[in-house]
Structures are given as C-alpha cells and as structure tokens.
Amino acid sequence: MTTTTTTAVNPVLRAAPAAPAEAAAYFRASLVFHADVSDVAAVLAAGGDPGFVVLDSRSTESWDQGHVPGAVHLPTALIPEQAEQLLDKSVPVVTYCWGPGCNGATRAALALAELGYQVKEMLGGFEYWVREGFEFETGESRERRDADPLTAPVGADNCGC
C-alpha cells in the first residue's frame, strides 16, 4: 500500500516575499508614481498653490457627471495635441479617471510623461474621491456625498496611515 502525502501550498507564500531591500525599493518607487485621493484632497483643501495640477482624463460626458473641483479636463486621446496649451511642464500633474477598474489615468500619465511632464496617478480615481466624501462639481452644481465607511474613517479627518 502506497501512502500519498499531500502538502498544502500556502497561496500567499507560494512566491516568497522579496528581500527587504528589494521591497523597500519597490514601495519607494510606487510612491513616486502614485498619489492617494485623501492626500490630494488635503493639499487642495489647504488652499494656496498645491504645487501640482489635477487632470481629469475622462470624456466630456464623464466630466459633466462629476469631477474634482479645480481639475483640468483633458481626455487622454487629446493629450498629444492639447497638453502644451493647458499645462506647464514645470508643474507636476496628477491624473485621474473613473476608478481602480479603469486604467485611463495610467494611459494619460504615460502620454504626459512621454511629452516631458512630471506626473503621478491618483489611486482610486473619481470613484474614491466621491466615496471618501470629498466635494465634487457637476455640470450644474457642487455636491458631496457621505463618506463610505469601507473607504474612509467615520468621525476622523484621516485614516492615520
């Protein structure tokens, strides 16, 4: 009689974690390329010159449905022909699109970087801007929804992370 031993494979550790130095380099690089919705909102709410411009890369219909106050509207397809008319290459650009299920902000960031702009992508996009309870503009008014307790702390200004 042959006995077969089954060893369960831990799906989390199937690929071993990176060495600490490699992990630090990866996460440091991630922060160079990405901005958090709540950080962008906090800097904009503080007033004054934020040191960056926010760019909505979605369609006009999407823009009209709602956008970050003060954002520049430039659909990704129009970046090569219109970026220089709307943006200053000395000012970093933070791109966003609909949300985590859309890579439009990534495509916009790539197009801008290829034109020589300093650029970051706002993680979570417009979806998380609204879900975290930040004010947004539509074609008709300014609105704000209650923060979603699954994406933003209840009763606190920030998540502490």
Side-chain angles (χ1 to χ4, degrees), residues 12-150:
V12 173
L13 300 176
R14 183 177 297 137
E22 290 176 88
Y26 171 84
F27 293 116
R28 188 175 301 106
S30 179
L31 294 172
V32 169
F33 298 113
H34 300 111
D36 182 88
V37 165
S38 61
D39 289 342
V40 172
V43 172
L44 294 177
D49 180 6
F52 59 87
V53 63
V54 178
L55 185 138
D56 185 315
S57 65
R58 301 172 301 149
S59 68
T60 299
E61 295 80 14
S62 299
W63 168 266
D64 289 344
Q65 191 172 326
H67 56 271
V68 172
V72 170
H73 181 228
L74 182 57
T76 302
L78 300 177
I79 288 173
E81 61 192 58
Q82 294 184 11
E84 289 188 10
Q85 299 161 15
L86 298 172
L87 303 169
D88 179 342
K89 285 189 178 176
S90 69
V91 178
V93 179
V94 176
T95 64
Y96 75 89
C97 61
W98 273 112
C102 174
N103 67 1
T106 305
R107 289 193 314 268
L110 173 60
L112 289 165
E114 288 176 338
L115 291 172
Y117 290 88
Q118 300 171 70
V119 63
K120 287 189 174 204
E121 178 182 3
M122 185 173 77
L123 296 176
F126 184 68
E127 175 189 350
Y128 276 71
W129 185 272
V130 174
R131 289 182 73 186
E132 291 191 21
F134 301 120
E135 185 176 64
F136 61 96
E137 295 177 333
T138 67
E140 302 164 3
S141 65
R142 283 190 173 229
E143 298 180 27
R144 181 184 302 253
R145 296 184 184 168
D146 290 339
D148 180 338
L150 296 177

